Amino acid sequence: MEPHLLRTFVTVVHRRSFSAAAEELGYTQSAVSQQIAVLEADLGVALLRRRPVRPTPAGERLLEHAGPLLLRHRAARADVLRAAAGPAERLTVIASPLACTPAIARGLTANRSVATLRTVGRERVAERFASGAADLGLVDGIAAPSDPLRLPDVGTPARIGVAEEELVVVLPDRHPLARRRGLALADLADALWLRADVAVPVERLREIAGVGGFRVAFGYDGEDVHTVVNLAAAGHGLALLPASVAAGVPLTAPRVVHRVEALYGPSSDRAAALAAQLRQPPSSTPPGTSAAGS
């Protein structure tokens, strides 16, 4: 399966139209049809129904594989080009919004090799890094202490944990639970929560709590953490955030932390040195004893 044929197939499925896919890819409609026909002939199965355009069961399965395969292809290409270009004098860093903690921001400021910092959604950091958009990627997520984050398969970049900190539940000052020294996530399953890209998603809350619930009361589609804090403080729903960006009641169960990892090419000494410089010592503060929860 040639990568350009897979890319055409994915575009047709997403756009639900051969003509729209042709416009996006810069091909003629007949060229798109020919590429899909070649892919179907190679696999020996029909991948698309034409009216309306939608994948067959075989096409659905191919779609599941196509994203990771295309990403690995872009990652391999970017890795080869990085090696051919040699060491970068000035580094571009790409980060999810909450990956740039105060301590990491200070580290980036202190390192004169950093030229640019860009932020994208946490689910896109590994993909953008692997595609060659940055020399160093910083991605955050929730994990058990010292456990690696679950990231897309983007080849073999070097990755290290650079920071871990406790999580806090952000809620209004007058909330009945606001004076607690700690909270168990499962006990908050019946509460109303904010849906926000920069907070822990409600789907992840259900997963780590091991129970259902966690209904969404209000949705916020931006990436400004201060807006999330203000919405939670105003009573629009609870939010789970790192302790460094918000005051709240510490999460004491289950034992999970906000973790930040750095991704860099194994041949990039400057990026490796920056990742090592950003690495923070593990916190010795037990959950439930931070100033945020006092």
Side-chain angles (χ1 to χ4, degrees), residues 94-119:
I94 193 165
S96 50
L98 292 185
C100 194
T101 66
I104 289 175
R106 290 191 294 269
L108 292 174
T109 302
N111 192 300
R112 295 186 177 181
S113 67
V114 178
T116 305
L117 171 67
R118 301 190 181 102
T119 58

Side-chain angles (χ1 to χ4, degrees), residues 240-266:
L240 189 62
L241 291 170
S244 64
V245 301
V249 181
L251 182 71
T252 53
R255 184 70 177 99
V256 290
V257 295
H258 176 253
R259 178 177 171 88
V260 181
E261 292 185 1
L263 310 176
Y264 56 93

Side-chain angles (χ1 to χ4, degrees), residues 69-82 126-127 129-132 153-157:
L69 286 171
L70 290 172
L71 181 54
R72 285 298 300 271
H73 181 265
R74 293 197 302 272
R77 177 183 175 85
D79 194 40
V80 170
L81 293 178
R82 283 193 190 102
E127 176 183 347
F129 167 79
S131 299
D153 181 5
V154 292
T156 57

